[in-house]
Amino acid sequence: MDEARAGDSRVLVLRGDAGVGKSALLDYLQERASGCRIARAAGVESEMELAFAGLHQLCAPMLGNVAGLPGPQRDALGTAFGLSTGDAPDRLLVGFAVLGLLSDTAEEMPLVCLVDDAQWLDQESAQALAFVGRRLLAEPLALVFSVREPTDARELDGLPALTVDGLRHGDARALLDSVTPGRLDERVRDRIVAETRGNPLALLELPRGLSAAELAGGFGIPDALRLTSRIERSFQRQLQSLPAETQRLLLVAAADPVGDVTLLWRAADALGIESDAAVAAEAAGLIEIDARVRFRHPLVRAAVYRAAARSDRRSVHRALAEATDPEVDPDRRAWHRAHAALEPDEAVATELEESAVRAQRRGGIAAMAAFLQRAAELTPDRARRGERALAAAHAKFATAGLDAADDLLAMAELGPLDELQRAQAARLRALLAFARWRGSDAPRLLLEAANQLGPLDSGLARETYLAAIGAAIFAGRLGRGLDVQDAAEAGRAAPPAPQPARPMDILLDATATRFTDGYVAGVAPLRRALDALRQGGARSEDDIMGWLWTACPVAPEPIAPDLWDDDAWHDLAARAVGLARDSGALAALPVALTYRAGVHVLAGEFAAAAGLIEEADAITAATGNPSLRYTSLLLAAWRGRETSALELIEAAVQDAMTRGEGRALGLAHYATAVLYNGLGRYEPALAGARHACEHEDLGFFGWSLVELVEAAARTGDNLEEAAAAVRELDRRGRAAGSDWALGMLARSRALLSDGPDAESLYRAAIDHLGRSRIAVHLARAHLVYGEWLRREQRRVDAREHLREALDMFGRFGAEAFAERARRELQATGETVRRRTVDTLDILTAQELQVARLAAAGHTNPEVGAQLFISPRTAEYHLHKVYAKLDISSRRQLRGRLAQLERHGR
């Protein structure tokens, strides 16, 4: 609280068992938050499927500040909260809108946001609030969650946490004594304290409803039950002592957790419950009914609902459905009708299906899946039930609910599916296998699904053939039963492309040619596919993801790097990030950022690459998706810090073996070769390159040939192996024809040549690479040329190129290669000091990104929008940059950064 009042944000997650006191701590904090504005929300189990319900509960009092948000954020938040209609808002845009809303509200007065029972937040709300929590920095804002453990919810993992434990033994005894009537047997007291493990709520509630005699003998203490069950049992005993009408009123309140008093009494009136039924419940301290309906503890609600007979629950839900305005809240009305249904009901199922469509428009894919699932369960017609179950399975798959998708697929397959539906089900099963393992049987399953779809839906069939090739590329050397050539041959036999052909259709034909007819034959069609993707427009997130399919080092088909086409790689990367940012495509943006980071790595812009990787990791952490390791491995290898790089490589190898992802294994071997070539340890570099070249992993195979040539040439005993690699490079490089390809070929041939031929090839390599964006390999060309010149006793000439290599590697942060250049330069007789940390090195990746955007003329709100941080946090970083660079204005910043870049700093 002190930090938040002082203007520094703080986030805390209270974790502990049910009843341990987390809610009491939030109450304690609220009571002491003098001079602060309080916003409070609580997760509700029955609302977990309603997208953004928890977020709306927290933010509703602040909606007056929405007008100050940028248009896209304002629209996204309005759609998410049902205040306006439109396309489904991306969760990232919603998260950023909430960040801006909380930040703006905190400007007026320090803001304290308290979120109780966060384990029951809907997934969209939890992800948005976790996103905010990871980006708060310089706002006068405290964000505190409470989470009941154990929980499967992982959205808040990684945020600062405090575990709330039970009371110590002495305190637990004292609390128990304070609520126990009469004298308590010592053995019974010790048993209660031991069973409750000091849980305060359990200590308070377990003795209630038991007579003094029962307590004295210990007969009333339930054994072998979970703590939550024991506490609920104590509440249920209290309920049994209440009048029947009071119990029914509590059930109405428990069945709909909105807390709307008007709705409660409308439903109660329909059930014939009088208003005085609340008196006994309030007197017992179980519920409060004033401006809102509030149970004294979530377990009271759970106990009330679970203790009721199913028939009573259905009648209460029916009354609530009738009391809910279908115009104002049709989705909640449909949900109550679904719980009230005793048997399949097509009208209710149709209403749920319509609610699912609305939930999708609001961005609630998880809610859509829940509505579709219940709709399928209530559908009387077997064929219609199968259709709805199949749709629900696809929705569950989209939300990464793989087990639920499996169950729904099984339900769908019980119905009389038509041929197309059976093929769609087979495709989904294959995609589930791929999502789980990225290898194994996925290529074969996808190919079988594609064959089924062929005569039924040619467009979907072609997409599935492409997915099969992609899955086979991912499986690589670890694939079983179907390799990439088999998948490509099947793809060549796919149904003709619809006209006009989509970029994905051109891509399928090109990749099929690439893997059936070989690299050289595939160059021209692949280049046409690249051109189609570069020229085509993306209109939705699906289009963006498909568009990225070809271009990203972490996607199945990195065509541009495989063609040594650095211009296409750069253009596709820049466009991918722009499209993903502009649309707020949360799923696509991390892929685009890592793809762009790969361009930065080979351009020697390591700090920029690290910043993008950090941003991508933050987004995947906020959404619960797996991190993308490919570019992280690449960066670690080029930086040349052996210990940390090997730790990353080893983790990647273990992960790849577990998943059966052979392509990631190939990258790990390639990274090993780069790392050890930089360190000048050529035997392990050669071993890594050999392993990398054992399988033709798209993109990495050609790169690995380059590392093999250098390592083999330097060992001196493997020249024939190096010559064979050069012959393969020659075939590929001449077909690709780019300066990048021809430069790598010339450098590799030079390493195996002597005399004038070698010198001519080294100079050609420098010329070609100097016209490309691949600065790291240009620096290596200077390095190996300088090494050759020194061995030729041309020390003066050698110094020129070794100085250039040292300067470039030092500027990049390629420490191992820089040290190799320093040693070689020293061997020429020149005194060289070790490079020290430069000014730009002391800027964090985030600070460097903020500095560059500010120097380019962007305002703090624009910087925040680019980097998904608040304007205040952008300002905070900028002030730190000013202090580190000893400047005081943006005008000075622009000049200072330019000066440092000119001097390689």
Side-chain angles (χ1 to χ4, degrees), residues 4 135 205 271 324 406 435 575 584 591 624 798 802 850:
R135 280 158 181 77
E205 299 299 338
L271 291 166
T324 301
D406 267 332
R575 186 174 177 201
V591 177
L802 292 172
V850 169

Side-chain angles (χ1 to χ4, degrees), residues 568-579:
W569 194 9
H570 175 275
D571 293 346
L572 288 169
R575 186 174 177 201
V577 172
L579 284 169

